[in-house]
Amino acid sequence: GQNIDQPTEMTATEGAIVQINCTYQTSGFNGLFWYQQHAGEAPTFLSYNVLDGLEEKGRFSSFLSRSKGYSYLLLKELQMKDSASYLCAVRDSNYQLIWGAGTKLIIKP
Amino acid sequence: ETGVTQTPRHLVMGMTNKKSLKCEQHLGHNAMYWYKQSAKKPLELMFVYNFKEQTENNSVPSRFSPECPNSSHLFLHLHTLQPEDSALYLCASSREDSGSSSGANVLTFGAGSRLTVL
């Protein structure tokens, strides 16, 4: 079967750096997505990786290794507003999105 | 505001009630989706409409009935639901090409309708 694994919850300190990992086993690969979802709000798109390597967007970066079935989202200079759930999703060979259960990130002062 | 609006935001209904969830998008997208989000579980795709045609129905019980009258509006009609149907129901839209989906084809989500079935 197809599976996406990410930690259920992580805690980090304001101003620090945190890395949220995502590993996947899917039937084929056509891109990996990260979304951010604040409590009670819509998930919003953060990043898309289809080739190996690091994509940087301001304080957020996303890394992909297709050979390892692995991605991470790196958040730098953490702010309280970064407290949210982070959802990893992979598009398989049928262009279907397979979702992880999300990682709840708690930022402490 | 994402450009995808869902109403109502909260709904409490009994098992014998009939209600509907509404989704509207102002982004010019041509594909719309219903997802179910339960605590600590992955998003579950329920229905997909592409160019107003239903292209996916992921073995969803018949007590959920979707309707897509045009490319901007999507409904989810609910009747005789069960308590385990209590969840957040998310609507999303995207711009899909008529062929296979290359490129990002990012989903834009609404804030969801929180459904509680008593």
Side-chain angles (χ1 to χ4, degrees), chain B residues 90-101:
Chain B
L90 290 167
C91 174
S93 69
S94 68
R95 180 91 188 148
E96 296 292 326
D97 296 323
S98 55
S100 63
S101 296

Side-chain angles (χ1 to χ4, degrees), chain A residues 8 30 33 35 37 40-45 48 87 91 95-97 99-102, chain B residues 2 9 35 37 40-43 56 88 90 100-101 103-107 109-111:
Chain A
T8 303
N30 280 295
F33 298 80
Y35 282 79
Q37 185 179 22
E41 297 183 16
T44 55
F45 170 75
Y48 171 68
L87 311 179
R91 192 158 61 195
Y95 293 92
Q96 302 299 309
L97 274 178
W99 293 86
Chain B
T2 64
R9 292 295 310 277
Y35 277 93
Q37 186 175 37
K40 299 184 180 179
K41 288 186 176 180
L43 289 180
E56 191 135 356
L88 182 68
L90 290 167
S100 63
S101 296
N105 292 108
V106 172
L107 293 177
F109 286 89

Side-chain angles (χ1 to χ4, degrees), chain A residues 38-84:
Chain A
H38 286 102
E41 297 183 16
T44 55
F45 170 75
L46 284 179
S47 67
Y48 171 68
N49 294 70
V50 67
L51 299 175
D52 290 351
L54 188 68
E55 296 273 347
E56 297 188 72
K57 271 189 190 179
R59 294 189 299 115
F60 292 10
S61 303
S62 57
F63 172 82
L64 174 67
S65 169
R66 288 172 296 171
S67 63
K68 295 182 179 178
Y70 168 69
S71 172
Y72 67 73
L73 182 68
L74 190 71
L75 291 73
K76 302 176 185 175
E77 301 168 19
L78 286 169
Q79 302 175 9
M80 298 303 292
K81 67 178 181 179
D82 298 329
S83 291

Side-chain angles (χ1 to χ4, degrees), chain A residues 1-4 24-30 90-96 98:
Chain A
Q2 308 202 88
N3 193 50
I4 308 281
Y24 61 90
Q25 300 90 39
T26 57
S27 302
F29 178 86
N30 280 295
V90 172
R91 192 158 61 195
D92 69 9
S93 57
N94 293 319
Y95 293 92
Q96 302 299 309
I98 313 302

Side-chain angles (χ1 to χ4, degrees), chain B residues 19-93:
Chain B
K19 297 285 184 184
S20 296
L21 306 181
K22 179 182 176 183
C23 177
E24 186 173 355
Q25 58 97 1
H26 307 281
L27 301 169
H29 289 167
N30 53 16
M32 296 188 78
Y33 310 76
W34 280 117
Y35 277 93
K36 178 182 179 182
Q37 186 175 37
S38 302
K40 299 184 180 179
K41 288 186 176 180
L43 289 180
E44 297 175 45
L45 180 64
M46 299 175 73
F47 302 104
V48 181
Y49 279 82
N50 204 328
F51 296 99
K52 298 189 299 176
E53 305 260 332
Q54 188 181 122
T55 57
E56 191 135 356
N57 175 340
N58 274 0
S59 304
V60 179
S62 59
R63 58 186 184 268
F64 295 90
S65 173
E67 179 189 358
C68 187
N70 55 61
S71 57
S72 298
H73 294 85
L74 186 64
F75 295 89
L76 188 63
H77 303 300
L78 317 168
H79 65 99
T80 59
L81 295 191
Q82 305 297 310
E84 60 264 28
D85 297 323
S86 297
L88 182 68
Y89 288 85
L90 290 167
C91 174
S93 69

